[in-house]
Amino acid sequence: MRDGKVRMEGLVKVVVVDKDGEIKFYPRSWIRRLLGLPPKRMMVLHHNTITAQGDGLIADWMLATPTKTKITSVNGYMQVGTGWTGNSPKQNTRCNSATGGFQKVDSGFPSVSGAVVTYKASFPAGSLNATGIDEVCLMNGNTAQAESLAYAQITPAVDVTANDSLAIEWTITVQGS
């Protein structure tokens, strides 16, 4: 690291699956109909923001004896919402307009491969019924004291009915320069 900078880049993958186990489709837009193009699948990839709280969590986790709760399959959670505004995502501590409850990080996560940490949460059918889910937050708990490691926009937004499941895979890559 010549200049001593460490960079973290994240990617959030969101997939909506219907009751038959198939990836759902967005309604076909007028332009796609006009051009005879098929509808797009509800599978979204988008970057994320390590929040201000997340910066503090990461710094704490590097201590010999961390004082803040790590995100594990025991106490890691994701929250989704419908309130993305684009205003100061770095300062977000929760979703702006949360919908449904917190979903625990799946068993076996986080996983690490080289400098990439992967978190995954699966919202089963019946846990969500919302139109326009456009934000997600990765947290170290599900209480008022929980802190947000990262926050991301889901674009285009996804619709999840009570019959659908939602899978979110969050990767964070640490790079020194």
Side-chain angles (χ1 to χ4, degrees):
M1 294 189 325
R2 291 185 321 233
D3 58 8
K5 292 184 181 180
V6 174
R7 209 174 51 174
M8 285 182 245
E9 295 178 349
L11 185 66
V12 175
K13 178 180 178 182
V14 176
V15 179
V16 181
V17 176
D18 67 19
K19 63 181 171 57
D20 298 320
E22 301 291 326
I23 297 175
K24 281 182 67 170
F25 289 93
Y26 286 101
R28 241 176 22 156
S29 66
W30 69 270
I31 192 76
R32 291 185 85 76
R33 286 192 307 273
L34 178 69
L35 297 174
L37 298 172
K40 289 173 54 176
R41 293 187 181 274
M42 280 196 197
M43 183 166 49
V44 177
L45 292 171
H46 205 273
H47 67 88
N48 83 130
T49 300
I50 302 297
T51 65
Q53 284 183 337
D55 290 341
L57 287 171
I58 293 165
D60 181 78
W61 295 340
M62 291 192 298
L63 295 172
T65 308
T67 61
K68 297 184 181 271
T69 304
K70 287 188 176 187
I71 297 174
T72 67
S73 61
V74 174
N75 51 28
Y77 289 84
M78 290 191 201
Q79 178 186 57
V80 296
T82 59
W84 169 262
T85 64
N87 298 332
S88 300
K90 181 81 173 168
Q91 301 308 317
N92 278 37
T93 59
R94 301 272 186 289
C95 285
N96 294 310
S97 296
T99 187
F102 287 93
Q103 185 60 44
K104 190 175 272 217
V105 170
D106 291 354
S107 178
F109 288 89
S111 63
V112 177
S113 177
V116 179
V117 181
T118 302
Y119 300 90
K120 184 177 180 187
S122 303
F123 292 77
S127 63
L128 291 171
N129 190 9
T131 301
I133 295 173
D134 62 359
E135 60 179 339
V136 60
C137 194
L138 176 60
M139 306 185 68
N140 70 348
N142 63 349
T143 67
Q145 293 75 34
E147 295 182 80
S148 168
L149 172 62
Y151 176 83
Q153 179 182 17
I154 299 172
T155 184
V158 296
D159 300 335
V160 179
T161 70
N163 294 321
D164 302 328
S165 61
L166 176 69
I168 301 173
E169 186 175 283
W170 206 309
T171 59
I172 298 174
T173 304
V174 181
Q175 299 174 328
S177 56

